[in-house]
Amino acid sequence: MRAARLIKMVLLLQSRPTMTASELARELEVSERTVTRDAQALSEAGVPVYAERGRAGGYRLVGGYRTRLTGLGRDEAEALFLSGVPGALREMGLEDIASAARLKVSAALLPSLRDAPRTAAQRFHLDAPAWFREPAAPALLPAVADAVWDDRCLSARYRRGESEVVRELEPYGLVLKAGVWYLCARVRAAGTEAKGTGAGTGTGAEAGMGTGVFRTYRIDRFVGVDATEDRFSRDEGFDLPGFWGEQAERFALSILRAEVVLRLSATGMRNLPYAVDPVAARDALAGVPEPDATGWATVTLRVESEEVAHTQLAALGPEAEVLFPATLRERFAEDATRLTELYGRREG
């Protein structure tokens, strides 16, 4: 346990110029006193850990000290090679770089672990696109990815309805969702937006400003991107997975503009998240009252439209009864009549 913690401490100090005792304690999930003892143990073992006192002090490695990866176990090595997404790397134009990195890591592993890339590939494969669609990487994705990696500002033109809109963006991160690529970016200073293809880029003063809001863009809607010479200062507090999760939920809720009142059986309540939007199902079931004497409960469900609700709720079959709106209830009544007629026929 302690040996693994000491290795992690060395790797953390390799990745950052200096870390305070509190930062190391948080990363290692130990007390600051334990960090002090671990630093002393590393120093006694020959690892040049140097402690600087004072308000701006902390721990650092002296003389660019580096450790080899020979301390990796088999499960750690295999997990390392699982972290790559070959298709996504290829679409971003990073396949060759990733391949070279994997070779370097493989060369540093112990001989007994050299088969980790093969064993990992045999056990896991990520197929990101949804079924029944032919994924196509956006032509501008490599250029956008380069700007993301380089923290370089972008002047981007994208389609919005029948027009083109120009944005000056600080590209923070990329997200691949069901085969569709998105850019999470901060819109730069106000006044850089213009409609039409003749809009220019921001000025140098605007380039230094990062006061805009964060937004999400589908990259396949970009019609042109130009990386500027300006680099932006990344907000270290930005959490890409957290931001994406909030945006995805907000989008899902924004399109749920109608309500349906349902009676659901116990089976219907279990299957509701698989038939409708999971966020809408979660909210509907969160306030579900006690079932009645027959085991059914009444819930209010947000839906995109009556048409969409008709398609989705049909999957629940006899485990759901629509109470409101009346027009949707009538549609299901008509469906029931037609099904009765269809299945009530007898072969002559």
Side-chain angles (χ1 to χ4, degrees):
M1 180 69 177
R2 190 190 186 198
R5 189 175 72 241
L6 292 175
I7 292 172
K8 184 176 181 180
M9 183 175 181
V10 173
L11 295 175
L12 285 169
L13 292 174
Q14 282 186 188
S15 65
R16 306 179 196 179
T18 303
M19 292 187 70
T20 65
S22 62
E23 290 173 337
L24 283 168
R26 185 168 58 251
E27 291 282 355
L28 299 172
E29 299 181 351
V30 296
S31 67
E32 292 187 26
R33 181 172 296 180
T34 298
V35 168
T36 301
R37 287 198 297 264
D38 286 352
Q40 181 64 31
L42 287 171
S43 181
E44 292 173 355
V47 178
V49 178
Y50 179 71
E52 293 180 328
R53 299 185 179 278
R55 187 173 183 180
Y59 292 93
R60 64 182 177 85
L61 293 175
V62 179
Y65 176 86
R66 310 293 294 179
T67 184
R68 295 183 179 273
L69 295 176
T70 50
L72 286 177
R74 170 165 294 278
D75 55 346
E76 295 170 322
E78 290 176 344
L80 176 65
F81 286 98
L82 282 180
S83 64
V85 186
L89 291 170
R90 182 173 57 253
E91 292 178 4
M92 288 189 291
L94 300 174
E95 185 177 28
D96 291 341
I97 296 173
S99 177
R102 284 193 294 269
L103 285 173
K104 291 179 180 179
V105 172
S106 296
L109 293 173
L110 291 170
S112 60
L113 302 180
R114 296 284 169 80
D115 64 339
R118 179 181 60 82
T119 58
Q122 288 175 335
R123 289 164 173 79
F124 180 82
H125 173 68
L126 176 63
D127 185 8
W131 287 102
F132 311 119
R133 61 172 295 165
E134 186 66 30
L140 296 174
L141 176 60
V144 175
D146 284 345
V148 170
W149 285 111
D150 205 24
D151 291 343
R152 194 175 292 277
C153 299
L154 278 179
S155 177
R157 304 194 318 275
Y158 72 96
R159 295 188 303 275
R160 189 172 68 183
E162 299 298 321
S163 63
E164 288 184 10
V165 176
V166 174
R167 287 282 197 276
E168 304 300 318
L169 302 175
E170 296 175 354
Y172 267 67
L174 296 168
V175 175
L176 177 60
K177 170 70 172 179
V180 179
W181 284 94
Y182 296 86
L183 172 67
C184 299
R186 182 162 59 181
V187 182
R188 292 173 58 200
T192 61
E193 174 184 342
K195 292 186 177 181
T197 57
T201 60
T203 65
E206 293 167 343
M209 299 177 66
T211 57
V213 296
F214 285 97
R215 290 183 178 167
T216 304
Y217 302 89
R218 278 186 59 147
I219 295 180
D220 58 8
R221 291 181 182 169
F222 285 151
V223 295
V225 294
D226 296 302
T228 71
E229 294 300 318
D230 301 310
R231 286 185 171 85
F232 62 93
S233 296
R234 182 174 288 268
D235 181 354
E236 296 301 330
F238 177 75
D239 174 20
L240 180 59
F243 172 77
W244 174 258
E246 292 174 0
Q247 290 291 300
E249 182 166 336
R250 187 177 296 120
F251 172 76
L253 293 176
S254 72
I255 63 175
L256 303 177
R257 301 186 180 93
E259 286 189 347
V260 173
V261 180
L262 303 169
R263 287 183 71 241
L264 295 171
S265 68
T267 300
M269 285 186 279
R270 285 196 303 270
N271 292 340
L272 186 65
Y274 304 102
V276 303
D277 179 83
V279 175
R282 180 200 66 195
D283 291 348
L285 296 175
V288 63
E290 288 295 323
D292 59 23
T294 64
W296 288 57
T298 301
V299 303
T300 300
L301 175 73
R302 286 183 291 183
V303 296
E304 185 174 347
S305 66
E306 185 174 315
E307 186 69 31
V308 172
H310 179 250
T311 301
Q312 293 177 332
L313 295 175
L316 298 178
E319 307 302 330
E321 177 190 3
V322 173
L323 302 179
F324 175 85
T327 50
L328 182 58
R329 181 179 176 86
E330 290 170 3
R331 294 180 71 167
F332 276 104
E334 292 173 3
D335 290 347
T337 301
R338 292 174 60 192
L339 285 170
T340 300
E341 293 174 353
L342 182 64
Y343 286 97
R345 294 174 184 170
R346 294 291 184 270
E347 295 292 338

